[in-house]
Amino acid sequence: MSSIIHVEKHFNASDTVRDIVIGMSDGLTVPFALAAGLTGAIAASSLVLTAGFAEIAAGSIAMGLGGYLAAKGDYEHYFSEKKREESEVKELPEVEKNEVSEIFKEYGLTDAEIKPILERFEENPKSWVDFMMKHELGLEEPDTKRGLKSAITIALSYIVGGIIPLFAYFFISDARKGLVISAIMTLIALFAFGFVKGKFTGAKPFKSAFQTIIIGGIAASVAFLLAKFIGG
Amino acid sequence: MSSIIHVEKHFNASDTVRDIVIGMSDGLTVPFALAAGLTGAIAASSLVLTAGFAEIAAGSIAMGLGGYLAAKGDYEHYFSEKKREESEVKELPEVEKNEVSEIFKEYGLTDAEIKPILERFEENPKSWVDFMMKHELGLEEPDTKRGLKSAITIALSYIVGGIIPLFAYFFISDARKGLVISAIMTLIALFAFGFVKGKFTGAKPFKSAFQTIIIGGIAASVAFLLAKFIGG
């Protein structure tokens, strides 16, 4: 019981929460900033909407597929390293024993105290490999299905985040007026997202909300000024 | 000597390489896909360029600041967890001892073999905390200066990647003709980037190059069709 309580105190954001955060922070920021930027150069909401949707499509696919490949890469990396450790434990046991010793010597253990650990590992090479994977290389076995889940979660979060800033341009044909409503809606969404993100990741919620708004605000302002300078 | 050679065999992409990959994969993909998408709806290269630059500004700032906050978050998380471990080692030593035992029992060690390890940790609480940070929680002490470096590396990589697809639109005023040159240049850049990324991250270079092109191609095609459907 005390062990369960203890584990819960150390918060680690789950993979899904992390994927939602990855997708939504860019989804809420980039299409908003792009739409705001274009408003600096273009008067018609319809064009801003076209560009905004093209950006959401491009961004969600690029980030989603990127997430898929990252998860697949982690998976392949884990198993290629595992294969390597398995052959090293078999073919270079003395080198691997030295590595185990070095890990424990770092924490002040003596050779005499390390010896039984080495003996135990020699008796059970599977445990030895697992130990090297986790404690020498710091790698955890990844979930095989994570790639697809990760891709879908990131892409959907990007789309949901990206549509919020575009709403206003649907109903208001003058892009500059649309921008005002879009900015208000997006700032509220950025605040809520930053706040919830802070809750989930163990950061201070208000600080997180404030930081999220600052990023969106700076990105949108620079994009606006740049587009006005180039296009206006 | 053999230890140095051995360490090099396990490849781990450095933080800087990872930041370049993060910035450049989106930088090469999203502005290209957006520009291609807009070409599905707009005939003038000047507008495509305005939107493209607004996107580069928005994307590089959002991703760069996002990277800064992520690095800062890792740093804060590490030290808040370290503080917690320090107080737990002091105030709940029995709970922490159980945790150490559980780590070693997983690999088949007996209580008798674990006892000297626990005694050593009790004598040296600093080592104990370091051990718990690395081997219970899997956390490495982060570099304090990483936030700023990370932000600049990601943002610059995004800008460099994003400018490549826009070049063609500078010189060719008809956006559809510009798109053809832009697509050729970007595919070459995506191939080269994917190839080098594969070399650096230990993946197969040609496979990595192919995957990178596929992502860019899908993102651009969907953005093009969507923009054509909405705007054209």
Side-chain angles (χ1 to χ4, degrees):
Chain A
M1 191 62 201
S2 100
S3 154
I4 294 173
I5 292 167
H6 179 76
V7 168
E8 284 179 350
K9 280 196 297 175
H10 292 290
F11 182 83
N12 279 305
S14 81
D15 288 340
T16 305
V17 170
R18 189 169 310 167
D19 287 340
I20 292 174
V21 168
I22 288 174
M24 199 164 282
S25 20
D26 278 27
L28 270 171
T29 314
V30 184
F32 166 59
L34 172 72
L38 284 179
T39 310
I42 296 169
S45 283
S46 60
L47 265 181
V48 173
L49 274 177
T50 303
F53 278 109
E55 210 290 331
I56 291 176
S60 62
I61 291 169
M63 289 195 75
L65 288 181
Y68 174 77
L69 290 183
K72 217 171 128 245
D74 284 350
Y75 189 73
E76 284 165 6
H77 180 64
Y78 182 86
F79 285 101
S80 83
E81 292 293 325
K82 188 164 184 177
K83 228 171 161 176
R84 207 196 300 269
E85 283 296 343
E86 278 165 353
S87 82
E88 283 174 357
V89 158
K90 219 193 233 162
E91 284 152 33
L92 302 163
E94 295 309 314
V95 175
E96 293 294 304
K97 274 195 216 168
N98 272 337
E99 288 177 3
V100 175
S101 292
E102 273 162 34
I103 290 172
F104 289 110
K105 276 182 186 161
E106 219 184 288
Y107 303 103
L109 266 72
T110 62
D111 283 326
E113 286 155 353
I114 295 167
K115 209 172 154 245
I117 303 178
L118 297 178
E119 286 166 3
R120 191 64 68 221
F121 281 166
E122 277 196 295
E123 285 167 19
N124 192 343
K126 213 187 142 296
S127 279
W128 194 357
V129 170
D130 288 345
F131 179 86
M132 298 311 275
M133 290 305 291
K134 192 157 172 198
H135 298 287
E136 186 204 2
L137 301 178
L139 296 174
E140 300 268 0
E141 182 164 344
D143 174 4
T144 32
K145 289 184 201 125
R146 190 164 138 56
L148 193 63
K149 267 195 291 191
S150 186
I152 293 170
T153 312
I154 293 175
L156 284 182
S157 305
Y158 196 99
I159 293 169
V160 170
I163 283 175
I164 293 170
L166 297 187
F167 259 123
Y169 298 97
F170 269 114
F171 304 107
I172 301 164
S173 61
D174 178 346
R176 309 239 164 166
K177 284 181 194 149
L179 172 59
V180 178
I181 311 298
S182 171
I184 293 168
M185 284 180 71
T186 307
L187 290 181
I188 294 169
L190 283 168
F191 184 89
F193 167 67
F195 191 88
V196 173
K197 184 179 83 176
K199 283 259 179 205
F200 266 99
T201 55
K204 290 185 191 108
F206 278 105
K207 192 177 157 194
S208 168
F210 184 69
Q211 286 174 335
T212 314
I213 285 183
I214 293 288
I215 294 184
I218 294 177
S221 306
V222 176
F224 183 88
L225 292 174
L226 189 74
K228 209 175 165 63
F229 178 74
I230 298 175
Chain B
M1 190 65 201
S2 101
S3 153
I4 293 172
I5 293 166
H6 178 76
V7 168
E8 284 180 347
K9 281 196 298 177
H10 292 291
F11 183 84
N12 279 305
S14 83
D15 288 341
T16 305
V17 170
R18 189 169 310 167
D19 287 340
I20 292 175
V21 168
I22 289 174
M24 200 164 281
S25 19
D26 279 27
L28 269 171
T29 315
V30 184
F32 165 59
L34 172 71
L38 283 180
T39 310
I42 295 169
S45 283
S46 61
L47 263 181
V48 173
L49 275 176
T50 303
F53 278 109
E55 211 290 330
I56 292 175
S60 61
I61 291 169
M63 288 194 76
L65 288 181
Y68 175 77
L69 290 183
K72 217 170 129 247
D74 284 349
Y75 190 73
E76 284 165 5
H77 180 64
Y78 181 86
F79 286 101
S80 84
E81 291 294 325
K82 188 162 184 177
K83 229 172 160 176
R84 209 197 300 269
E85 283 296 343
E86 278 165 353
S87 83
E88 283 174 357
V89 158
K90 219 191 233 166
E91 284 153 33
L92 301 164
E94 294 309 314
V95 176
E96 293 294 303
K97 275 196 217 169
N98 272 337
E99 288 177 3
V100 175
S101 293
E102 273 161 36
I103 291 173
F104 289 108
K105 277 183 186 160
E106 219 184 290
Y107 302 104
L109 267 72
T110 62
D111 282 326
E113 286 156 353
I114 295 166
K115 208 171 155 246
I117 304 177
L118 297 178
E119 286 166 3
R120 189 64 67 222
F121 282 165
E122 276 196 295
E123 284 166 18
N124 192 345
K126 214 187 143 294
S127 279
W128 192 358
V129 169
D130 288 345
F131 180 87
M132 300 310 277
M133 290 305 290
K134 192 157 174 200
H135 298 286
E136 186 205 0
L137 301 178
L139 296 174
E140 301 267 1
E141 183 164 343
D143 174 6
T144 32
K145 288 182 201 127
R146 190 163 139 57
L148 193 63
K149 268 195 291 191
S150 185
I152 293 170
T153 311
I154 293 175
L156 283 182
S157 305
Y158 195 99
I159 293 169
V160 170
I163 283 175
I164 293 170
L166 298 187
F167 259 124
Y169 298 98
F170 268 114
F171 303 107
I172 302 164
S173 61
D174 178 346
R176 309 242 164 162
K177 286 180 192 149
L179 172 59
V180 178
I181 310 297
S182 171
I184 293 169
M185 284 179 71
T186 307
L187 289 181
I188 294 169
L190 283 168
F191 184 88
F193 167 68
F195 191 88
V196 174
K197 185 180 84 176
K199 282 259 179 204
F200 266 100
T201 54
K204 290 185 190 108
F206 277 106
K207 192 177 157 194
S208 169
F210 185 70
Q211 285 175 336
T212 314
I213 286 185
I214 294 288
I215 293 184
I218 294 178
S221 306
V222 176
F224 182 89
L225 292 173
L226 189 72
K228 211 176 163 63
F229 178 74
I230 298 175

